[in-house]
Amino acid sequence: MLHGNTDVLVTNLQLQKVLFFTLKQALNQQLLNESAIEKTYNQPFEAWRYGPVEREIYEKYKVYGADPITERDTENSEYQVLNSVIFQFLQRDPFELIHISHQEKLWSQHETYLIG
């Protein structure tokens, strides 16, 4: 995903995991409150085979398959506080994040109903 002045290539799989863990950390560290996050991300994450997925965002970028998302997006200044967290998760292997996501309560409670 080409983002602002910094071009960072991100796949849809990676985007989903980074989004999940960034929002979780934002809540845990009180970087943003729940209502600020819900204003933009008001859909629940679903338990999919490769970890949590926000379906609307997945649908928007699924045309890229496993390739990096190449469309340019705009940065929401309200979420700039999350940039360091986002880049921290972008440095991690997406499959490591998948493994970690499988330890989450969301996964264990819904593992028998996996999508995808």
Short mmCIF file of all heavy atoms in Angstrom, two decimals, residues 9-21 49-52 66 88-102:
data_model
loop_
_atom_site.label_atom_id
_atom_site.label_comp_id
_atom_site.label_asym_id
_atom_site.label_seq_id
_atom_site.Cartn_x
_atom_site.Cartn_y
_atom_site.Cartn_z
N LEU A 9 5.25 -1.34 0.85
CA LEU A 9 4.44 -2.34 0.18
C LEU A 9 3.88 -3.31 1.20
O LEU A 9 4.61 -3.84 2.04
CB LEU A 9 5.29 -3.07 -0.87
CG LEU A 9 5.79 -2.19 -2.01
CD1 LEU A 9 6.65 -3.01 -2.96
CD2 LEU A 9 4.63 -1.56 -2.76
N VAL A 10 2.55 -3.51 1.13
CA VAL A 10 1.84 -4.34 2.09
C VAL A 10 0.87 -5.22 1.34
O VAL A 10 0.15 -4.74 0.45
CB VAL A 10 1.06 -3.46 3.09
CG1 VAL A 10 0.29 -4.29 4.08
CG2 VAL A 10 2.00 -2.49 3.80
N THR A 11 0.83 -6.50 1.68
CA THR A 11 -0.17 -7.40 1.10
C THR A 11 -1.45 -7.32 1.93
O THR A 11 -1.44 -6.83 3.06
CB THR A 11 0.33 -8.85 1.07
OG1 THR A 11 0.47 -9.30 2.43
CG2 THR A 11 1.64 -9.00 0.31
N ASN A 12 -2.54 -7.82 1.37
CA ASN A 12 -3.80 -7.83 2.09
C ASN A 12 -3.69 -8.67 3.36
O ASN A 12 -4.18 -8.29 4.42
CB ASN A 12 -4.92 -8.36 1.19
CG ASN A 12 -6.31 -7.98 1.68
OD1 ASN A 12 -6.48 -7.31 2.69
ND2 ASN A 12 -7.31 -8.41 0.95
N LEU A 13 -3.01 -9.81 3.28
CA LEU A 13 -2.80 -10.66 4.45
C LEU A 13 -2.07 -9.88 5.54
O LEU A 13 -2.48 -9.88 6.71
CB LEU A 13 -2.00 -11.91 4.07
CG LEU A 13 -1.63 -12.81 5.23
CD1 LEU A 13 -2.68 -13.91 5.38
CD2 LEU A 13 -0.27 -13.42 5.04
N GLN A 14 -1.01 -9.22 5.15
CA GLN A 14 -0.22 -8.45 6.11
C GLN A 14 -1.04 -7.28 6.66
O GLN A 14 -1.01 -7.01 7.87
CB GLN A 14 1.05 -7.94 5.42
CG GLN A 14 2.04 -7.30 6.32
CD GLN A 14 3.30 -6.90 5.57
OE1 GLN A 14 3.29 -6.73 4.36
NE2 GLN A 14 4.39 -6.75 6.30
N LEU A 15 -1.79 -6.61 5.80
CA LEU A 15 -2.63 -5.49 6.23
C LEU A 15 -3.60 -5.93 7.32
O LEU A 15 -3.77 -5.25 8.33
CB LEU A 15 -3.40 -4.93 5.04
CG LEU A 15 -4.44 -3.85 5.34
CD1 LEU A 15 -3.79 -2.61 5.93
CD2 LEU A 15 -5.20 -3.50 4.06
N GLN A 16 -4.23 -7.07 7.13
CA GLN A 16 -5.21 -7.56 8.09
C GLN A 16 -4.58 -7.81 9.46
O GLN A 16 -5.14 -7.43 10.50
CB GLN A 16 -5.86 -8.86 7.58
CG GLN A 16 -6.70 -8.67 6.35
CD GLN A 16 -7.95 -7.84 6.59
OE1 GLN A 16 -8.52 -7.85 7.67
NE2 GLN A 16 -8.37 -7.12 5.58
N LYS A 17 -3.42 -8.44 9.49
CA LYS A 17 -2.77 -8.76 10.76
C LYS A 17 -2.25 -7.48 11.43
O LYS A 17 -2.40 -7.30 12.64
CB LYS A 17 -1.62 -9.75 10.59
CG LYS A 17 -1.97 -11.11 10.02
CD LYS A 17 -3.33 -11.65 10.41
CE LYS A 17 -3.90 -12.48 9.28
NZ LYS A 17 -5.23 -12.15 8.88
N VAL A 18 -1.63 -6.61 10.65
CA VAL A 18 -1.10 -5.36 11.21
C VAL A 18 -2.26 -4.51 11.75
O VAL A 18 -2.14 -3.93 12.84
CB VAL A 18 -0.27 -4.60 10.15
CG1 VAL A 18 0.06 -3.20 10.62
CG2 VAL A 18 1.01 -5.38 9.83
N LEU A 19 -3.36 -4.46 11.04
CA LEU A 19 -4.52 -3.70 11.50
C LEU A 19 -5.03 -4.25 12.83
O LEU A 19 -5.26 -3.51 13.78
CB LEU A 19 -5.62 -3.74 10.44
CG LEU A 19 -6.93 -3.05 10.79
CD1 LEU A 19 -6.73 -1.56 11.01
CD2 LEU A 19 -7.95 -3.28 9.67
N PHE A 20 -5.20 -5.55 12.90
CA PHE A 20 -5.71 -6.19 14.12
C PHE A 20 -4.81 -5.88 15.31
O PHE A 20 -5.27 -5.40 16.35
CB PHE A 20 -5.82 -7.70 13.92
CG PHE A 20 -6.24 -8.45 15.15
CD1 PHE A 20 -7.57 -8.49 15.53
CD2 PHE A 20 -5.30 -9.09 15.95
CE1 PHE A 20 -7.96 -9.16 16.69
CE2 PHE A 20 -5.69 -9.77 17.10
CZ PHE A 20 -7.02 -9.80 17.47
N PHE A 21 -3.53 -6.13 15.17
CA PHE A 21 -2.61 -5.95 16.30
C PHE A 21 -2.39 -4.48 16.64
O PHE A 21 -2.22 -4.13 17.80
CB PHE A 21 -1.29 -6.67 16.05
CG PHE A 21 -1.39 -8.15 16.24
CD1 PHE A 21 -1.31 -9.00 15.16
CD2 PHE A 21 -1.61 -8.70 17.49
CE1 PHE A 21 -1.41 -10.38 15.31
CE2 PHE A 21 -1.73 -10.07 17.67
CZ PHE A 21 -1.63 -10.91 16.58
N ARG A 49 -9.02 -18.58 8.49
CA ARG A 49 -7.95 -19.58 8.56
C ARG A 49 -6.59 -18.97 8.90
O ARG A 49 -5.81 -19.53 9.66
CB ARG A 49 -7.89 -20.32 7.23
CG ARG A 49 -6.88 -21.41 7.19
CD ARG A 49 -6.91 -22.07 5.84
NE ARG A 49 -6.25 -23.34 5.88
CZ ARG A 49 -6.05 -24.08 4.83
NH1 ARG A 49 -6.48 -23.70 3.65
NH2 ARG A 49 -5.44 -25.21 4.93
N TYR A 50 -6.29 -17.80 8.31
CA TYR A 50 -5.00 -17.16 8.55
C TYR A 50 -5.11 -16.01 9.54
O TYR A 50 -4.38 -15.04 9.47
CB TYR A 50 -4.39 -16.69 7.23
CG TYR A 50 -3.99 -17.84 6.35
CD1 TYR A 50 -4.71 -18.16 5.20
CD2 TYR A 50 -2.89 -18.63 6.67
CE1 TYR A 50 -4.34 -19.24 4.40
CE2 TYR A 50 -2.52 -19.70 5.88
CZ TYR A 50 -3.25 -20.00 4.75
OH TYR A 50 -2.89 -21.07 3.96
N GLY A 51 -6.02 -16.14 10.49
CA GLY A 51 -6.13 -15.15 11.54
C GLY A 51 -7.26 -14.16 11.31
O GLY A 51 -8.08 -14.33 10.42
N PRO A 52 -7.30 -13.11 12.14
CA PRO A 52 -8.40 -12.15 12.10
C PRO A 52 -8.44 -11.36 10.79
O PRO A 52 -7.40 -10.98 10.25
CB PRO A 52 -8.13 -11.23 13.28
CG PRO A 52 -6.78 -11.53 13.75
CD PRO A 52 -6.32 -12.80 13.16
N ALA A 66 -2.10 -12.24 -3.40
CA ALA A 66 -0.95 -12.25 -2.50
C ALA A 66 0.08 -11.17 -2.87
O ALA A 66 1.11 -11.05 -2.21
CB ALA A 66 -0.28 -13.62 -2.52
N GLN A 88 6.20 -0.96 13.47
CA GLN A 88 6.74 -2.05 14.30
C GLN A 88 6.17 -3.39 13.82
O GLN A 88 6.91 -4.36 13.64
CB GLN A 88 6.37 -1.80 15.76
CG GLN A 88 6.66 -2.94 16.69
CD GLN A 88 6.00 -2.74 18.05
OE1 GLN A 88 5.51 -1.67 18.38
NE2 GLN A 88 5.99 -3.79 18.84
N PHE A 89 4.87 -3.45 13.58
CA PHE A 89 4.25 -4.69 13.13
C PHE A 89 4.60 -5.00 11.68
O PHE A 89 4.68 -6.17 11.29
CB PHE A 89 2.74 -4.66 13.33
CG PHE A 89 2.34 -4.85 14.76
CD1 PHE A 89 1.67 -3.85 15.45
CD2 PHE A 89 2.64 -6.03 15.44
CE1 PHE A 89 1.32 -4.02 16.78
CE2 PHE A 89 2.29 -6.21 16.77
CZ PHE A 89 1.62 -5.20 17.44
N LEU A 90 4.82 -3.98 10.86
CA LEU A 90 5.22 -4.22 9.47
C LEU A 90 6.59 -4.87 9.37
O LEU A 90 6.90 -5.52 8.37
CB LEU A 90 5.21 -2.91 8.67
CG LEU A 90 3.84 -2.37 8.29
CD1 LEU A 90 3.96 -0.98 7.67
CD2 LEU A 90 3.12 -3.33 7.34
N GLN A 91 7.41 -4.71 10.40
CA GLN A 91 8.74 -5.31 10.41
C GLN A 91 8.69 -6.81 10.71
O GLN A 91 9.64 -7.53 10.47
CB GLN A 91 9.63 -4.62 11.45
CG GLN A 91 9.83 -3.15 11.21
CD GLN A 91 10.42 -2.86 9.85
OE1 GLN A 91 11.41 -3.46 9.46
NE2 GLN A 91 9.81 -1.95 9.11
N ARG A 92 7.58 -7.27 11.21
CA ARG A 92 7.45 -8.69 11.59
C ARG A 92 6.95 -9.50 10.41
O ARG A 92 6.22 -9.01 9.56
CB ARG A 92 6.51 -8.82 12.77
CG ARG A 92 7.07 -8.07 13.99
CD ARG A 92 6.21 -8.19 15.16
NE ARG A 92 6.46 -9.47 15.82
CZ ARG A 92 6.03 -9.72 17.03
NH1 ARG A 92 5.36 -8.82 17.71
NH2 ARG A 92 6.26 -10.88 17.60
N ASP A 93 7.33 -10.74 10.39
CA ASP A 93 6.87 -11.66 9.34
C ASP A 93 5.35 -11.85 9.51
O ASP A 93 4.89 -12.13 10.62
CB ASP A 93 7.59 -13.00 9.50
CG ASP A 93 7.21 -13.97 8.41
OD1 ASP A 93 6.11 -14.56 8.51
OD2 ASP A 93 8.00 -14.14 7.47
N PRO A 94 4.58 -11.72 8.43
CA PRO A 94 3.12 -11.88 8.55
C PRO A 94 2.71 -13.25 9.09
O PRO A 94 1.71 -13.35 9.80
CB PRO A 94 2.60 -11.69 7.13
CG PRO A 94 3.73 -11.23 6.31
CD PRO A 94 4.98 -11.37 7.09
N PHE A 95 3.49 -14.28 8.80
CA PHE A 95 3.14 -15.61 9.30
C PHE A 95 3.42 -15.75 10.79
O PHE A 95 2.78 -16.53 11.48
CB PHE A 95 3.81 -16.69 8.45
CG PHE A 95 3.20 -16.74 7.08
CD1 PHE A 95 3.78 -16.07 6.03
CD2 PHE A 95 2.01 -17.43 6.86
CE1 PHE A 95 3.19 -16.07 4.77
CE2 PHE A 95 1.42 -17.45 5.61
CZ PHE A 95 2.01 -16.77 4.56
N GLU A 96 4.36 -14.96 11.31
CA GLU A 96 4.55 -14.90 12.75
C GLU A 96 3.32 -14.25 13.39
O GLU A 96 2.84 -14.72 14.43
CB GLU A 96 5.81 -14.09 13.08
CG GLU A 96 6.03 -13.89 14.56
CD GLU A 96 7.17 -12.92 14.87
OE1 GLU A 96 7.80 -12.38 13.94
OE2 GLU A 96 7.41 -12.72 16.07
N LEU A 97 2.81 -13.20 12.77
CA LEU A 97 1.61 -12.54 13.29
C LEU A 97 0.40 -13.47 13.22
O LEU A 97 -0.45 -13.45 14.11
CB LEU A 97 1.34 -11.24 12.53
CG LEU A 97 2.39 -10.14 12.70
CD1 LEU A 97 2.03 -8.92 11.86
CD2 LEU A 97 2.57 -9.76 14.15
N ILE A 98 0.33 -14.28 12.18
CA ILE A 98 -0.75 -15.27 12.08
C ILE A 98 -0.66 -16.22 13.26
O ILE A 98 -1.66 -16.50 13.93
CB ILE A 98 -0.69 -16.03 10.74
CG1 ILE A 98 -1.07 -15.12 9.59
CG2 ILE A 98 -1.59 -17.27 10.77
CD1 ILE A 98 -0.77 -15.69 8.21
N HIS A 99 0.55 -16.73 13.50
CA HIS A 99 0.75 -17.66 14.62
C HIS A 99 0.32 -17.01 15.94
O HIS A 99 -0.38 -17.63 16.76
CB HIS A 99 2.20 -18.11 14.68
CG HIS A 99 2.51 -18.97 15.86
ND1 HIS A 99 2.11 -20.29 15.94
CD2 HIS A 99 3.15 -18.69 17.02
CE1 HIS A 99 2.50 -20.79 17.10
NE2 HIS A 99 3.13 -19.84 17.77
N ILE A 100 0.72 -15.78 16.16
CA ILE A 100 0.36 -15.07 17.39
C ILE A 100 -1.15 -14.87 17.46
O ILE A 100 -1.77 -15.03 18.51
CB ILE A 100 1.11 -13.73 17.49
CG1 ILE A 100 2.61 -13.97 17.61
CG2 ILE A 100 0.60 -12.91 18.66
CD1 ILE A 100 3.46 -12.74 17.43
N SER A 101 -1.76 -14.56 16.32
CA SER A 101 -3.22 -14.33 16.31
C SER A 101 -3.99 -15.59 16.68
O SER A 101 -5.08 -15.52 17.24
CB SER A 101 -3.68 -13.78 14.96
OG SER A 101 -3.68 -14.78 13.96
N HIS A 102 -3.40 -16.75 16.36
CA HIS A 102 -4.07 -18.01 16.70
C HIS A 102 -4.08 -18.27 18.21
O HIS A 102 -4.79 -19.16 18.67
CB HIS A 102 -3.42 -19.18 15.96
CG HIS A 102 -3.72 -19.17 14.50
ND1 HIS A 102 -3.23 -20.12 13.66
CD2 HIS A 102 -4.46 -18.32 13.72
CE1 HIS A 102 -3.65 -19.87 12.43
NE2 HIS A 102 -4.39 -18.78 12.45
#
